[in-house]
Amino acid sequence: MARPFFVSRSWPAPAAGRIRLVERTAERPILAIDLGGTQIRAALLTPDRVVHGRRAEPTADEEGVEDVLDRIVKVAASVRAQAAADGLPEPIGVGISSPGPLDPWRGVVRLAPNLKGWRDIPLGPRVAAGLGLPTFLERDTNVAIMGEWRHGAAVGTQNAIYLTLSTGLGGAAIVDGRPLIGTSGTAGEFGHITVELDGPRCGCGGMGHVESIASGTALANLGRALVEAHPDSPLARLAADGTQIDARLVTLAAEQGDAAAAALLDRAWVAFGALCASLVNALDPEVIVIGGSIAENHQRPLFDQIAIEMERRAFPILLDKVRIVPAALGADVSLIGSLPIVNERIDDPAYALGSIPSEQGASIS
């Protein structure tokens, strides 16, 4: 029987339209950009935490880095123009949520494994130059934990962890009331913790990382390998007409009795649960907040397995002190989390180099 650290398994309904998300206000409005593997989203966030004018474009990273950069500026500019036409206030700056690792002080994406060609890209200065606004870049999971910590499932805590299980597997932490950043700005890459010594190769090049077992990309890769090894399996039959093999198709095959596909999912949930237990042992958090589309779509088996792995692997003294809960802010967490980040960093000289709207940042170097 699971201990009481599992307080909720009901996932919040996704936000729609202009929804007031929290009561606490920030000081000034911002433009928020969420760069993802499949789409670029942008919106204006006002001090009352309302998300205005949400727009999206396909990322289409196969078209090249320059095209993606142009698209980011274009979609953000269109949101800004519409907000002005609607009589909304001018944003003081721009916050960008991006895959990492990255350098938040210089505004540079060091490596985005799920975006083709994204290595050492000066995203912050480039957007600042394109929009003429101070721009602050942060890793997507750090943005998410700022949203959940200030306005969501981790409110009131001093030690919190955020994990997202989606195309990739990311994480971030608040330790003793401060975001965990690290020497190079890459702390919290929990998806790259090793959980199998001889496990599959990760997109970052490492071996046996939890992302290489439990993420959507991993399930797709492992599913393709399964089809090659078992061409008569239910998964192979589902993909026979050219249907893309992804986490959804692996799940469908498992539901149709494909034991090997079910084993892939079971292995993923065990790996994720082991990660949770290891982080509890290492960081002693009050709460672990879990978000992402894979986690949402597999909520019950995932949370059930986390309970088992916590009992099996975590220090018993910590089990009654930590809660494992679903994220509260839904798909808008990567937009909302930029509001406190921009408001806090805009007057901080440590971030000036990567935030100024300078032509020096307009080209890729």
Side-chain angles (χ1 to χ4, degrees):
M1 181 177 179
R3 290 178 182 262
F5 53 82
F6 292 91
V7 298
S8 173
R9 290 192 180 115
S10 62
W11 212 277
R18 294 182 179 181
I19 296 178
R20 188 176 301 276
L21 296 165
V22 294
E23 296 180 358
R24 180 181 170 186
T25 59
E27 294 180 343
R28 296 159 290 186
I30 69 158
L31 273 176
I33 299 169
D34 177 23
L35 170 61
T38 57
Q39 64 176 349
I40 301 160
R41 299 189 305 142
L44 182 83
L45 273 294
T46 45
D48 53 7
R49 296 305 190 285
V50 177
V51 180
H52 299 272
R54 188 188 292 103
R55 295 194 181 188
E57 293 280 346
T59 304
D61 58 305
E62 71 278 0
E63 296 180 6
V65 175
E66 285 286 356
D67 283 348
V68 175
L69 291 170
D70 289 343
R71 240 183 322 276
I72 291 169
V73 172
K74 177 183 176 182
V75 69
S78 68
V79 168
R80 184 184 187 185
Q82 186 60 54
D86 292 341
L88 294 168
E90 176 72 2
I92 61 162
V94 183
I96 306 175
S97 168
S98 168
L102 51 78
D103 180 342
W105 301 284
R106 295 179 58 242
V108 175
V109 177
R110 289 299 188 195
L111 174 66
N114 295 319
L115 292 176
K116 185 177 181 180
W118 277 69
R119 184 183 290 271
D120 294 330
I121 305 301
L123 177 56
R126 175 65 174 266
V127 171
L131 296 175
L133 288 170
T135 300
F136 302 89
L137 176 68
E138 188 51 87
R139 197 173 75 233
D140 46 13
T141 48
N142 283 345
V143 174
I145 200 169
M146 285 300 294
E148 293 288 347
W149 183 45
R150 292 296 184 82
H151 316 297
V155 167
T157 65
Q158 291 294 300
N159 293 277
I161 292 170
Y162 176 84
L163 296 174
T164 178
L165 183 56
S166 186
T167 303
L169 199 166
I174 302 294
V175 177
D176 294 333
R178 297 178 64 85
L180 182 65
I181 302 298
T183 303
S184 303
T186 63
E189 288 283 357
F190 300 135
H192 299 284
I193 288 177
T194 299
V195 292
E196 288 188 9
L197 295 182
D198 298 317
R201 187 171 295 279
C202 184
C204 71
M207 299 292 292
H209 295 175
V210 63
E211 181 171 285
S212 71
I213 297 167
S215 68
T217 298
L219 290 171
N221 291 338
L222 295 168
R224 284 190 287 270
L226 191 63
V227 167
E228 291 178 6
H230 303 281
D232 296 326
S233 66
L235 178 58
R237 290 196 294 272
L238 287 171
D241 62 353
T243 301
Q244 180 180 358
I245 299 174
D246 55 14
R248 180 197 61 81
L249 203 68
V250 171
T251 301
L252 181 58
E255 292 171 347
Q256 294 184 4
D258 189 326
L264 289 184
L265 296 175
D266 290 342
R267 179 190 183 200
W269 312 152
V270 169
F272 191 86
L275 171 66
C276 290
S278 297
L279 292 175
V280 167
N281 289 344
L283 296 178
D284 188 16
E286 298 160 72
V287 63
I288 297 180
V289 180
I290 298 175
S293 59
I294 299 290
E296 181 177 350
N297 292 331
H298 297 84
Q299 181 184 344
R300 181 166 295 280
L302 175 62
F303 272 61
D304 286 348
Q305 193 64 49
I306 292 172
I308 293 170
E309 301 308 319
M310 289 285 288
E311 292 280 359
R312 180 183 295 166
R313 304 174 191 274
F315 294 138
I317 194 173
L318 302 179
L319 291 179
D320 294 333
K321 298 180 180 179
V322 62
R323 296 177 292 123
I324 313 290
V325 299
L329 298 182
D332 282 337
V333 67
S334 293
L335 300 173
I336 297 166
S338 284
L339 193 51
I341 287 175
V342 173
N343 273 278
E344 291 175 8
R345 293 182 182 178
I346 197 164
D347 297 317
D348 187 341
Y351 294 93
L353 179 63
S355 66
I356 55 175
S358 167
E359 290 299 328
Q360 293 176 345
S363 61
I364 298 172
S365 59

